[in-house]
């Protein structure tokens, strides 16, 4: 089955995205902000936490999926997928709290960048060989 491993992590990341989305709705209701952020720092933080996930996860999944399609071993695909999942949960929790939790936010960002770097280099390497 093509993309079977990537599909697992896409599904799990999708569930976390829904959780982040519902959290943003909850913050909107609590802060009484129907649209935008109205200059509310709590709303701004929730929106940026949600948006940051939406900015990084798609390219991560694309790189992992392309690697899997090019024959990356299942273990390596699972490692990258699990690392991306852990990274984004860490980052979401660390950034979602006010004040931010630097170890979770920074650790999640660092692990995300590492997944993207490894995924990019693996795809480039495979494409050139």
């Amino acid at each position: 089955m093509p993309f079977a491993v990537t599909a697992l992590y896409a599904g799990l990341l999708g569930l976390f995205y829904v959780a982040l989305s519902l959290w943003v709705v909850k913050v909107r209701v609590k802060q009484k902000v129907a649209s935008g952020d109205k200059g509310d720092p709590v709303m701004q933080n929730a929106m940026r936490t949600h948006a940051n996930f939406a900015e990084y996860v798609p390219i991560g999944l694309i790189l992992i999926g392309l690697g899997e399609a090019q024959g990356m071993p299942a273990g390596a695909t699972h490692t990258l997928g699990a690392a991306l999942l852990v990274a984004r949960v860490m980052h979401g929790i660390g950034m979602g709290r006010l004040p931010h939790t630097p170890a979770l936010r920074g650790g999640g960002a660092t692990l995300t960048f590492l997944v993207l770097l490894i995924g990019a280099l693996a795809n480039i390497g495979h494409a050139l060989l």
Side-chain angles (χ1 to χ4, degrees):
M1 173 181 225
F3 302 107
V5 177
T6 302
L8 170 65
Y9 295 101
L12 293 170
L13 286 158
L15 290 175
F16 188 64
Y17 189 71
V18 169
L20 284 175
S21 299
L22 292 173
W23 172 63
V24 170
V25 170
K26 181 180 171 184
V27 171
R28 283 195 179 287
V29 170
K30 184 176 180 185
Q31 300 301 111
K32 297 180 172 85
V33 177
S35 66
D37 63 40
K38 306 288 192 240
D40 182 280
V42 175
M43 189 75 249
Q44 290 170 348
N45 187 63
M47 289 172 65
R48 279 306 310 147
T49 302
H50 180 263
N52 189 280
F53 184 97
E55 293 161 0
Y56 282 96
V57 169
I59 188 65
L61 286 172
I62 289 168
L63 290 168
I64 294 167
L66 288 172
E68 185 175 15
Q70 294 183 86
M72 183 165 54
T77 308
H78 275 293
T79 299
L80 287 178
L84 183 61
L85 178 63
V86 168
R88 298 322 299 169
V89 169
M90 285 174 60
H91 187 270
I93 292 169
M95 187 172 174
R97 294 179 178 164
L98 283 176
H100 294 161
T101 307
L104 286 173
R105 183 180 179 189
T110 300
L111 187 54
T112 298
F113 295 149
L114 189 58
V115 169
L116 296 179
L117 179 64
I118 292 168
L121 292 174
N123 276 285
I124 291 168
H126 193 322
L128 293 176
L129 297 178

